[in-house]
Amino acid sequence: MAPSKANTAAAKFNVRFLLEDKPWATEFKAHPPASELFDIAFDPAAVASTRFKAFVREGAHDFGELAIVTFLQAKFYDKPFVLLPLVVSGNFHHKSVAYNTDAGEITPTTMEGRKFGVRTYSQTTGVWVRGILQNDYGTDLDKVTWVTYEDAHLAEHTDPPNCLRAQGGPKTLIPMLLNNELDGGLLGGNMPDDPRLKRVIADPAGDAEKWEQEHGCRPINHMFVVTKELCNSRPDVVRGMYDMMVKVRTKDNYPFPVGFDGNWEALRLVSKYAYQQGVVGREYAPEELFADAARVLRA
């Protein structure tokens, strides 16, 4: 990957930074703290996921947020990125799977034989939802047909045989679901206000609370990553950016671990789920995922 800026240790580095327009980030993006080490050039995208493919395929950013399953795939395919021990976002996903009641009642154990839509098979929310359904409710994921709409962020990924690409021109999940082309879908938390739609998990809030108590964590969606190039050429910039983002991100009601000694059970679980579903070819322990970052941040 060709460097796009000065490479000397004394030079002030212009960090190409990907960060979504989240409420906690608004003031930071408008007025980032001054640094003697770096300036920040924010990617203009309001929704970070629209730029993840460019991040991992083209090296379009030096530092920023990335979906954790995208990072796991990047790790598996030996892409030059380093995971930092700081969470950008996460949420409970028991609420994220819904069905159209025109297809009859659907529960986690009666999803088999049905068609469920998901943006991409390797989408982080999809991996969490399927992992919870499989491991906590006994859903046989191989007997569900997953209808997708986009390619994975990593070009090397191949969907399993029980995936179909939506046909008939550009399609999106919610119109297909409401038109009875699908039985259900992985919608995230934004279910349309339509009386035909119901949650597959009947008590998502109650079950999510029990899940958190059992596992001692909450699901992680996006984390901060940095390129290996920047770690190698300007570790001082990486340390400065990381310290800055710890202060910015953890100011208000931050419910996730920070640093290498935190409870990273959520990382272990999402790695397990991704492996079970064929999204990556092996599981990763948190300490392995953070090994590169430890060499930089603990120097």
Side-chain angles (χ1 to χ4, degrees):
M1 190 185 337
S4 60
K5 64 287 288 181
N7 199 31
T8 63
K12 201 170 185 181
F13 195 89
N14 191 41
V15 179
R16 300 170 301 164
F17 192 4
L18 178 64
L19 183 65
E20 190 165 298
D21 290 341
K22 299 173 173 66
W24 60 263
T26 302
E27 178 63 22
F28 166 67
K29 293 183 74 172
H31 305 286
S35 169
E36 295 181 355
L37 294 173
F38 53 82
D39 292 318
I40 297 175
F42 291 105
D43 188 288
V47 179
S49 62
T50 62
R51 297 288 290 154
F52 289 165
K53 190 179 291 186
F55 202 165
V56 296
R57 294 192 186 192
E58 303 165 18
H61 312 96
D62 304 300
F63 190 103
E65 66 177 288
L66 191 67
I68 186 57
V69 171
T70 300
F71 175 79
L72 291 173
Q73 289 195 311
K75 176 79 171 174
F76 181 71
Y77 292 116
D78 198 28
K79 304 299 181 181
F81 299 97
V82 173
L83 183 70
L84 300 174
L86 183 64
V87 176
V88 178
S89 62
N91 208 339
F92 293 104
H93 293 297
H94 292 72
K95 63 186 177 184
S96 298
V97 56
Y99 70 98
N100 188 331
T101 55
D102 287 348
E105 182 182 11
I106 299 178
T107 68
T109 55
T110 61
M111 289 177 60
E112 297 158 11
R114 306 280 194 159
K115 286 185 178 180
F116 272 71
V118 61
R119 182 171 56 83
T120 68
Y121 184 75
S122 57
Q123 180 188 22
T124 293
T125 295
V127 170
W128 275 115
V129 171
R130 291 191 301 265
I132 290 167
L133 289 169
Q134 177 181 11
N135 291 276
D136 298 335
Y137 298 90
T139 307
D140 188 340
L141 302 179
D142 292 337
K143 294 182 179 178
V144 179
T145 298
W146 304 100
V147 179
T148 65
Y149 306 88
E150 298 178 15
D151 293 333
H153 295 135
L154 273 295
E156 292 86 347
H157 171 76
T158 301
D159 287 343
N162 59 322
C163 281
L164 298 175
R165 182 58 57 90
Q167 300 296 311
K171 293 287 188 80
T172 55
L173 194 159
I174 291 174
M176 288 188 71
L177 179 56
L178 294 177
N179 291 335
N180 297 306
E181 297 175 73
L182 299 169
D183 299 306
L186 308 188
L187 304 180
N190 301 315
M191 188 162 74
D193 184 17
D194 190 297
R196 292 171 294 172
L197 301 185
K198 287 188 176 181
R199 310 283 186 189
V200 171
I201 295 173
D203 182 14
D207 285 12
E209 183 177 354
K210 293 174 185 176
W211 190 94
E212 183 179 25
Q213 292 172 351
E214 177 183 353
H215 295 288
C217 64
R218 61 178 56 199
I220 292 168
N221 276 49
H222 297 179
M223 293 186 68
F224 284 104
V225 303
V226 61
T227 64
K228 286 188 176 180
E229 178 186 354
L230 188 56
C231 289
N232 293 335
S233 64
R234 292 299 302 269
D236 57 336
V237 170
V238 175
R239 288 190 288 268
M241 286 291 298
Y242 173 76
D243 291 343
M244 176 184 289
M245 295 318 302
V246 168
K247 293 176 183 177
V248 171
R249 181 64 186 98
T250 60
K251 284 193 300 187
D252 302 311
N253 301 315
Y254 178 80
F256 301 101
V258 178
F260 301 110
D261 299 325
N263 171 21
W264 291 103
E265 175 67 7
L267 276 185
R268 188 193 68 80
L269 282 171
V270 74
S271 176
K272 170 186 173 181
Y273 294 167
Y275 173 67
Q276 287 176 332
Q277 297 166 36
V279 174
V280 293
R282 53 164 295 203
E283 294 185 51
Y284 292 94
E287 54 269 24
E288 184 178 5
L289 295 174
F290 289 139
D292 290 329
R295 286 190 284 271
V296 176
L297 297 183
R298 286 175 168 164

